[in-house]
Amino acid sequence: MNRFSSHFVDNAIEYTIGRYKHWRTPAQFRPFTVNGIDWEVNPPERFYSIPEEPPVITFDKPSIFHGDRVRAHFTFQSAFNSPDPVNNRVWGLSDQRAHHKSRGALVLVHGYMMTSFTPLRLLAEPLARQGIDIYYIALPYHMKRAPLGTWSGEYGLSSDVERTIDSFRQGVMDVRSLVRWIQRERNQPVILAGMSLGAFTCCMATVVDSRPAGLISLLGGADLADIVFAGNSFYLIRRNLLKNGVGPELLDRCWAGMSPGNFRSKLPVENIIMVAGEHDPIITPENAARLWRAWDEPELTWLPCGHASLSFYARRVGDLVEQFVNRRLEEVEAEEPVRQADGMVAD
């Protein structure tokens, strides 16, 4: 796919779905105090911290299929308390191996404005068939977490600078809480995979958390503020910010603690892979490359696509995800006897 065709697909979706929703949405900018967003006194380890105890997760109406797979929706109370009660109840979908016989777990986090987990399920289905537990988690203000009268993601990323910070913070905390529950209750290695905004979320989760066995960044980048000023997709949000005196430098300063490229992941570089679009107008190639360089150049696959047009390469992305997850789980399994032996010697 060349630049013209990828941009045609991206723009067609943007102008028929994305821009339409934004046009019908009132301007959301609220005045804020720049000094109140002080990342020096809010380091990531403190800002994204979660309770020591895992959340209580409820699984609703499980259904058994293929003999040994159990699919169910799950909910738990977010560790972050936003002003919208419906948003504070984390919601997701699990596809687990019966009787907890899975080799490991994959947590998948969707992108901005997505209304279902279907695209991610296409990527994860081969792994689910191999007996790996899959957890799809909804980001704040998306899907069933969207307050009545709002569309999926309307409050998640907007010209309301401080609410966007709170939403992103909540998303990272929710992912970390789910990882803690899986490791505590299922005793499984967990791999994180995120797409677009979900990739930023998962990347920031590994900045403060070394527990994930691996990280897959699909269309992620170094600088979250950059996407607002990069292209047409966030034109209306950008216009509202500029109208109120918030330019690229100020927004970058306000959202610095949400940009993975400003930090280092706690995971070894070999436990991270990235997928980026050569013609992506949202997470630009420059944005993706900055993260790649900041994180010591992990494995990076460039695809000849844009943002939405990544869907044309779903099979290839699915293969990359499958190969990486299996490789990491095999490595963890090989490391386990060594850790147990070290523990016996230490005793």
Side-chain angles (χ1 to χ4, degrees):
M1 178 175 286
N2 58 32
R3 182 183 298 273
F4 174 80
S5 56
S6 63
H7 282 189
F8 176 81
V9 172
D10 287 341
N11 288 333
I13 293 175
E14 171 59 27
Y15 280 93
T16 56
I17 300 176
R19 188 68 67 87
Y20 173 74
K21 288 185 176 181
H22 281 116
W23 273 118
R24 293 174 55 88
T25 303
Q28 299 185 45
F29 180 85
R30 286 188 305 152
F32 62 93
T33 304
V34 177
N35 293 333
I37 307 173
D38 190 345
W39 295 109
E40 291 186 3
V41 299
N42 281 302
E45 289 78 9
R46 178 187 301 173
F47 192 69
Y48 299 108
S49 64
I50 58 174
E52 185 63 33
E53 289 300 311
V56 176
I57 296 187
T58 303
F59 293 88
D60 182 38
K61 299 178 181 178
S63 59
I64 300 176
F65 62 107
H66 294 304
D68 63 348
R69 289 168 62 182
V70 180
R71 184 175 292 166
H73 289 102
F74 65 86
T75 61
F76 63 89
Q77 192 66 23
S78 176
F80 182 87
N81 190 35
S82 77
D84 301 285
V86 68
N87 175 55
N88 295 332
R89 195 67 185 169
V90 184
W91 178 81
L93 174 68
S94 67
D95 188 342
Q96 303 179 59
R97 186 81 175 269
H99 310 300
H100 311 316
K101 293 182 178 180
S102 170
R103 300 167 51 211
L106 175 66
V107 173
L108 282 138
V109 189
H110 61 84
Y112 176 57
M113 292 178 65
M114 288 180 70
T115 58
S116 78
F117 299 124
T118 300
L120 297 181
R121 287 172 63 180
L122 294 176
L123 299 180
E125 179 61 23
L127 289 167
R129 290 176 179 171
Q130 296 169 32
I132 294 172
D133 289 348
I134 313 293
Y135 295 85
Y136 309 90
I137 182 172
L139 286 169
Y141 295 110
H142 284 76
M143 303 185 197
K144 290 188 176 182
R145 301 180 67 176
L148 187 65
T150 69
W151 42 265
S152 181
E154 180 178 337
Y155 287 177
L157 196 160
S158 70
S159 57
D160 188 327
V161 174
E162 290 188 296
R163 186 178 62 203
T164 299
I165 293 172
D166 287 341
S167 174
F168 188 85
R169 179 187 188 185
Q170 187 173 28
V172 174
M173 293 171 66
D174 293 342
V175 169
R176 294 193 65 203
S177 294
L178 179 57
V179 171
R180 178 160 290 177
W181 182 89
I182 295 170
Q183 292 191 328
R184 185 77 60 88
E185 299 297 324
R186 297 291 187 259
N187 192 29
Q188 296 173 336
V190 183
I191 294 172
L192 298 180
M195 178 179 292
S196 190
L197 180 59
F200 279 88
T201 302
C202 291
C203 285
M204 280 306 302
T206 71
V207 166
V208 296
D209 201 328
S210 62
R211 294 171 305 162
L215 168 67
I216 303 168
S217 171
L218 306 175
L219 304 181
D223 186 353
L224 187 64
D226 181 73
I227 71 176
V228 174
F229 293 93
N232 281 328
S233 296
F234 292 91
Y235 164 71
L236 295 173
I237 291 177
R238 176 169 68 244
R239 186 177 69 174
N240 193 219
L241 288 170
L242 291 173
K243 179 181 177 181
N244 289 278
V246 181
E249 292 185 5
L250 179 55
L251 187 64
D252 192 59
R253 183 148 45 101
C254 291
W255 286 1
M258 303 150 59
S259 296
N262 293 332
F263 310 95
R264 299 292 292 273
S265 174
K266 289 187 179 294
L267 304 189
V269 65
E270 59 269 17
N271 294 353
I272 301 170
I273 64 169
M274 298 175 58
V275 175
E278 293 176 345
H279 313 305
D280 194 333
I282 299 176
I283 315 299
T284 63
E286 293 78 10
N287 198 350
R290 286 204 302 272
L291 179 65
W292 177 72
R293 289 191 296 267
W295 282 15
D296 293 333
E297 303 182 0
E299 179 184 331
L300 170 58
T301 299
W302 290 101
L303 296 177
C305 64
H307 204 75
S309 51
L310 178 74
S311 59
F312 290 100
Y313 297 89
R315 176 171 294 182
R316 185 170 175 186
V317 175
D319 290 341
L320 289 169
V321 170
E322 180 183 1
Q323 292 165 11
F324 176 76
V325 170
N326 278 313
R327 173 172 66 81
R328 281 301 301 133
L329 292 181
E330 289 170 3
E331 291 170 348
V332 170
E333 291 165 0
E335 294 165 0
E336 189 59 30
V338 176
R339 282 197 296 266
Q340 291 177 354
D342 288 344
M344 292 174 63
V345 172
D347 290 338

